[in-house]
Amino acid sequence: MKNVALKGKGQEYYLEISSYCDFNAALEDMKVLFDDLAKSTDKLTLIVDTQQRLLGEKQITELKQLIKSYHMLDLKQIVSAVDTKTSLNNILKKNQIQIESHIVRSGQILDYNGNLLLLGDVHAGAQVRATGSIFVVGVVEGIIHAGFPDNDDAVIAGNLGAARQIRISDLFQIVADLAMDNLEMDSFFYVNDLHTIAIDKIDNLATIKPQKEIIIS
Amino acid sequence: MGTSIVVTSGKGGVGKTTTAANLSLALVQAGKKICVIDLDVGLRNLDAILGLSDRVIYDIVDVISGRIDVQRALVQHPQYNGLCMLAASQSASQDNLNIERISQIVLDLKNSFDFVIIDCPAGIERGFQAAVAVADSAIVVTTPEIAAVSDADRVVGILEAANLTYGIHLVINRVRLQMIQSGKSMDIQNIVNRLSVPLIGVIIDDDEVIASSNDGHPVVGIQDSNPAAIGYTNLAHRILGKDIPLNEIDNNRLPTKKSGFWQRLFKSK
Ligand SMILES: Nc1ncnc2c1ncn2[C@@H]1O[C@H](COP(=O)(O)OP(=O)(O)OP(=O)(O)O)[C@@H](O)[C@H]1O
Ligand SMILES: [Mg+2]
């Protein structure tokens, strides 16, 4: 029975599959374990932890079928400590913050994938777009578009009092139409629950739109 | 091997041609051999300001098309030995500007002149692109107006992408100190900060510039003491590497109160 182990952690039951054994051997061990359990339990919600092993499609189907054949078992999810390179790269690309230091001049449109930290001014007639959030250290006179084209979670922070427009997702705000005292250096723009652009103090960024996913590379 | 300097602006009418003509003359007076090229094909007027209109026989489109050798198309200034001009064609359009051919022409000219000064058309069309392609350095001319500064910004962005060997420098033309003092026009430091391009010349707005251009004698050639002429001469000397503070106007005609302005500008550079 050393290939699989059942552990209770808090409210949950974890079925751990050893990282090094043969998968079929693990399935055999599971059968023995589940037969045993069927005698004593009538309901058990299970999380399968494959640890350092990444299951293929076929293995997942086999595992699911086995668990399904025991009526008292309910599979909540399959977890593991590892992930494919492709999916990791995708996560990284989406969540990194890119740091750019240059002036964006009239007529230039810069596009970024993910979040952007811009160290430099955005001149009148220039536009900076990112699929994620945009933080600017520098004076903005042009247009900043975060969450391009439709990401409501993006925010914009920086010295935006002289900006022409703030755009987030599919929304836009003409800055000249705003009450100026809202536009201190310590404000940020975000999309609220009513799907309109709102402003708040940067102190509240963490509570309103936690930027937890951002990794500084 | 000489150096090419492109004089450009984005916005029209801010003084590119006037700057190209006066800078050329000031460099000649400093002992350099200069060839000045008019790329404003279709709307040429460099020849008129230099007083050379009567002498133009061939133009740059003749050279581009191979009808004539570049050396034979040059117009020699009768008064200044070191000054030659390659005229723009008055009839052709900017589409005639074959960028590869122009590069070759400018390269040829750099072999026989210290500086090749190129007067650009306004805008960012083909004439401008041809100029950028052959530039070793650029002078961006602006006036103290929002529209001119904003167009200059556009042009600087394009020039930056071209990675010129000797970089981009700024000339602020038609400066009227009364207007700056009274806050009616953008001030110099403000413009320099906005564009973040090093300032290399400040030229006062002066009626004599217009009068002398109409006459075919750039102001640098006729009036040493004219404040605009001093501005152009200092610009030329700065290009030649002399460290001349940007406070020339202060010494000439401004009352004491204004000295602070120029000193501030100079110190902060
Ligand atoms: N410092 C100055 N003081 C007074 N007038 C000036 C000054 N500089 C230029 N001007 C005048 O401004 C007008 C436009 O100048 P210029 O032709 O040199 O501009 P440009 O940028 O070459 O124009 P274009 O874009 O049409 O080629 C001319 O009448 C010229 O005499
Ligand atoms: Mg001109």
Side-chain angles (χ1 to χ4, degrees):
Chain A
M1 196 62 86
K2 52 193 175 315
N3 294 333
V4 298
L6 187 67
K7 291 182 181 170
K9 291 182 189 169
Q11 303 296 320
E12 324 257 55
Y13 282 93
Y14 281 78
L15 181 78
E16 293 181 356
I17 304 176
S18 159
S19 306
Y20 306 105
C21 72
D22 175 62
F23 184 66
N24 289 322
L27 286 179
E28 288 308 315
D29 281 5
M30 270 183 238
K31 268 183 213 151
V32 178
L33 175 73
F34 293 157
D35 287 342
D36 220 28
L37 275 174
K39 294 172 199 155
S40 55
T41 326
D42 47 40
K43 191 149 183 57
L44 196 137
T45 306
L46 202 60
I47 296 173
V48 175
D49 182 356
T50 65
Q51 306 207 341
Q52 305 292 319
R53 184 200 307 258
L54 205 57
L55 296 184
E57 297 273 341
K58 198 171 144 249
Q59 292 173 316
I60 290 175
T61 325
E62 272 180 275
L63 178 67
K64 280 185 175 165
Q65 265 166 6
L66 175 68
I67 293 174
K68 232 187 185 156
S69 64
Y70 292 86
H71 292 297
M72 84 292 185
L73 294 179
D74 174 27
L75 177 64
K76 194 174 168 198
Q77 80 190 112
I78 302 172
V79 298
S80 86
V82 292
D83 210 337
T84 63
K85 257 192 186 165
T86 335
S87 78
L88 281 179
N89 275 336
N90 282 340
I91 294 169
L92 279 176
K93 206 176 278 160
K94 197 169 143 230
N95 296 339
Q96 269 176 0
I97 188 155
Q98 290 186 68
I99 303 177
E100 291 287 332
S101 66
H102 51 82
I103 299 173
V104 192
R105 295 188 183 271
S106 172
Q108 296 176 334
I109 299 179
L110 298 190
D111 269 304
Y112 294 92
N113 222 329
N115 304 298
L116 173 69
L117 174 59
L118 180 66
L119 312 173
D121 297 345
V122 179
H123 286 181
Q127 206 181 122
V128 176
R129 282 198 300 230
T131 56
S133 296
I134 302 178
F135 307 90
V136 191
V137 182
V139 180
V140 178
E141 293 182 345
I143 295 173
I144 301 286
H145 193 163
F148 176 79
D150 57 4
N151 167 15
D152 279 9
D153 291 331
V155 304
I156 300 176
N159 185 351
L160 301 161
R164 291 281 183 280
Q165 287 174 23
I166 294 298
R167 300 182 186 172
I168 305 177
S169 185
D170 57 347
L171 302 165
F172 63 89
Q173 172 70 55
I174 293 161
V175 175
D177 292 349
L178 293 169
M180 279 321 266
D181 47 339
N182 279 332
L183 285 170
E184 322 265 290
M185 256 308 267
D186 58 353
S187 321
F188 77 100
F189 290 80
Y190 66 101
V191 178
N192 65 16
D193 296 339
L194 303 170
H195 194 65
T196 49
I197 292 182
I199 313 175
D200 211 307
K201 290 251 177 265
I202 199 88
D203 300 352
N204 301 328
L205 176 62
T207 32
I208 297 174
K209 293 270 174 176
Q211 302 288 302
K212 56 182 185 296
E213 82 280 18
I214 292 181
I215 304 159
I216 301 224
S217 58
Chain B
M1 187 67 138
T3 307
S4 61
I5 305 176
V6 164
V7 181
T8 180
S9 70
K11 190 172 185 308
V14 298
K16 291 177 294 295
T17 305
T18 309
T19 300
N22 280 285
L23 172 61
S24 299
L25 212 55
L27 285 168
V28 167
Q29 287 175 341
K32 299 294 166 189
K33 281 194 78 185
I34 306 298
C35 179
V36 56
I37 303 180
D38 190 350
L39 272 193
D40 201 349
V41 171
L43 293 167
R44 76 177 193 209
N45 41 35
L46 181 67
D47 52 331
I49 295 183
L50 286 170
L52 295 173
S53 301
D54 295 349
R55 296 170 190 273
V56 176
I57 297 168
Y58 301 109
D59 59 51
I60 189 159
V61 173
D62 294 322
V63 182
I64 289 170
S65 67
R67 274 193 290 275
I68 187 88
D69 185 68
V70 61
Q71 298 294 337
R72 286 190 57 202
L74 295 181
V75 182
Q76 165 71 54
H77 199 289
Q79 209 176 331
Y80 306 97
N81 233 332
L83 183 60
C84 285
M85 181 193 69
L86 180 57
S89 148
Q90 183 66 302
S91 49
S93 82
Q94 287 190 29
D95 301 336
N96 293 68
L97 298 174
N98 176 314
I99 293 180
E100 271 167 41
R101 285 286 297 137
I102 293 176
S103 304
Q104 191 53 51
I105 293 166
V106 171
L107 202 63
D108 275 359
L109 291 170
K110 285 202 296 189
N111 280 321
S112 32
F113 292 90
D114 295 315
F115 290 96
V116 176
I117 313 257
I118 300 162
D119 180 24
C120 266
I124 51 176
E125 315 307 322
R126 190 164 189 114
F128 169 73
Q129 285 160 12
V132 173
V134 300
D136 296 325
S137 65
I139 289 179
V140 174
V141 182
T142 185
T143 54
E145 295 158 90
I146 301 274
V149 172
S150 171
D151 287 358
D153 191 45
R154 176 91 175 93
V155 159
V156 170
I158 298 169
L159 288 166
E160 274 175 346
N163 270 320
L164 309 182
T165 320
Y166 297 108
I168 307 162
H169 290 86
L170 181 67
V171 167
I172 304 177
N173 189 25
R174 307 203 72 162
V175 171
R176 292 164 67 176
L177 285 149
Q178 272 68 31
M179 283 190 76
I180 291 178
Q181 292 291 311
S182 61
K184 284 181 188 149
S185 120
M186 298 176 76
D187 86 35
I188 305 284
Q189 191 60 61
N190 195 346
I191 297 169
V192 176
N193 288 347
R194 280 177 77 103
L195 292 175
S196 50
V197 170
L199 181 64
I200 196 170
V202 176
I203 315 292
I204 290 286
D205 186 85
D206 193 286
D207 291 348
E208 204 54 49
V209 174
I210 302 173
S212 59
S213 294
N214 287 337
D215 212 25
H217 295 286
V219 68
V220 162
I222 51 167
Q223 283 194 18
D224 302 353
S225 58
N226 178 283
I230 292 171
Y232 287 122
T233 305
N234 285 345
L235 166 63
H237 289 167
R238 287 190 198 104
I239 288 172
L240 296 174
K242 281 205 197 115
D243 186 14
I244 303 172
L246 283 155
N247 62 353
E248 57 250 43
I249 296 146
D250 176 30
N251 301 334
N252 273 288
R253 51 133 74 153
L254 300 179
T256 43
K257 183 176 165 262
K258 288 162 190 161
S259 71
F261 166 75
W262 289 102
Q263 255 130 36
R264 260 203 323 280
L265 171 64
F266 174 54
K267 280 205 195 94
S268 65
K269 285 295 329 168

